[in-house]
C-alpha cells in the first residue's frame, strides 16, 4: 500500500473546503449518488497520495476538478459500467444528500441539465453552478474558450427546447434533440 504524502489535517481542510464541489461535480457527471460517492472518495484518496506541490487554493481547486472529471470519465469507460445496469435514478440515497444538493437535484432545470450529453453538462456545471468564467472552464477541461462558449450556447438552446417541451406537454422530456459530441 502506498504511503501518504499529505497530512491528515491538510486532507481534512480540503474535504471541508472543497468536498461539496467535488461531490456536486461527480453527481453532475455520473448522475448517480452512489457513483458520485465513489468518485469523491477516489479523488480524495488520490490527493492523499499525490505529491503535487500546490501554489495556492485555486491551483488545488483546479487539480480537484480535473481529477474529478478524469475519474468520472474513467468510470464511464470501465468494463463494469458498460456491462452493469445502474440502479434507478430515484434511488433512496438521494434522501441522504445535504439540503442544498437535494433542492438542486429536485429542480426541473437540474433534471433537464442531467439529460444533457456529458460534454455539455460539464461546462454548464462548471460555469453556472461553480461560477467559473469561460476561460477558466476551458483551461480546466483542456479546450479552447470558443469551444466552451459553443457548448454553453448549445446547452442553453437544448435546455430551452427541453423545458419548453416539458411545459407544453406537462411531462419530463426524456428524449430531445441529439447534439453531436465534440472532442477537445
Amino acid at each position: 500500500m502506498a504511503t501518504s504524502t499529505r497530512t491528515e489535517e491538510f486532507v481534512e481542510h480540503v474535504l471541508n473546503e472543497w468536498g461539496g464541489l467535488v461531490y456536486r461535480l461527480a453527481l453532475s457527471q455520473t448522475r448517480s449518488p452512489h457513483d458520485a460517492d465513489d468518485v469523491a472518495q477516489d479523488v480524495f484518496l488520490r490527493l492523499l497520495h499525490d505529491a503535487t506541490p500546490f501554489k495556492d487554493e485555486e491551483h488545488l481547486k483546479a487539480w480537484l476538478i480535473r481529477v474529478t472529471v478524469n475519474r468520472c470519465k474513467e468510470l464511464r469507460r470501465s468494463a463494469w459500467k458498460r456491462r452493469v445496469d445502474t440502479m434507478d435514478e430515484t434511488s433512496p440515497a438521494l434522501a441522504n444528500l445535504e439540503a442544498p444538493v437535494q433542492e438542486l437535484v429536485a429542480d426541473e432545470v437540474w433534471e433537464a441539465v442531467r439529460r444533457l450529453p456529458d460534454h455539455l453538462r460539464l461546462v454548464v456545471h462548471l460555469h453556472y453552478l461553480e461560477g467559473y468564467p469561460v476561460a477558466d472552464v476551458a483551461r480546466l477541461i483542456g479546450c479552447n474558450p470558443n469551444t466552451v462558449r459553443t457548448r454553453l450556447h448549445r446547452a442553453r438552446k437544448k435546455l430551452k427546447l427541453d423545458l419548453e417541451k416539458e411545459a407544453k406537454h406537462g411531462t419530463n422530456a426524456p428524449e430531445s434533440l441529439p447534439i453531436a459530441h465534440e472532442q477537445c
Side-chain angles (χ1 to χ4, degrees), residues 8-172:
E8 191 174 316
E9 293 79 25
F10 174 78
V11 175
E12 189 172 321
H13 160 73
V14 174
L15 264 169
N16 290 334
E17 191 70 27
W18 306 114
L21 169 115
V22 168
Y23 181 79
R24 286 188 309 272
L25 182 56
L27 181 61
S28 170
Q29 291 301 290
T30 64
R31 303 181 205 165
S32 162
H34 304 291
D35 289 342
D37 285 340
D38 291 344
V39 167
Q41 181 179 9
D42 287 349
V43 168
F44 287 104
L45 283 172
R46 287 179 187 194
L47 175 65
L48 186 64
H49 300 290
D50 185 78
T52 302
F54 298 110
K55 294 179 257 180
D56 54 23
E57 286 287 311
E58 267 313 300
H59 182 210
L60 171 61
K61 186 176 173 185
W63 185 92
L64 290 168
I65 289 170
R66 186 73 252 162
V67 172
T68 302
V69 169
N70 288 342
R71 182 62 191 106
C72 290
K73 286 179 181 179
E74 290 169 8
L75 182 65
R76 272 194 305 276
R77 287 190 306 255
S78 73
W80 170 260
K81 209 52 171 159
R82 287 191 312 260
R83 289 188 182 101
V84 175
D85 285 334
T86 57
M87 292 178 53
D88 184 11
E89 290 179 359
T90 58
S91 165
L94 291 175
N96 299 326
L97 298 176
E98 298 172 10
V101 176
Q102 275 182 333
E103 290 172 20
L104 178 66
V105 170
D107 185 65
E108 67 185 39
V109 174
W110 172 258
E111 283 302 316
V113 169
R114 285 178 56 160
R115 290 190 301 267
L116 289 172
D118 296 335
H119 67 290
L120 298 180
R121 194 172 56 253
L122 176 60
V123 295
V124 166
H125 182 92
L126 291 174
H127 184 67
Y128 291 110
L129 272 74
E130 302 302 336
Y132 277 99
V134 169
D136 288 349
V137 172
R139 183 179 46 78
L140 287 168
I141 65 172
C143 284
N144 184 303
N146 288 332
T147 302
V148 173
R149 284 185 198 92
T150 299
R151 289 179 183 182
L152 286 170
H153 173 75
R154 289 179 180 170
R156 285 189 300 267
K157 185 176 176 180
K158 187 167 178 8
L159 287 170
K160 180 181 181 210
L161 290 172
D162 285 354
L163 291 171
E164 285 174 349
K165 186 176 180 180
E166 283 181 32
K168 186 176 182 179
H169 298 295
T171 62
N172 284 351

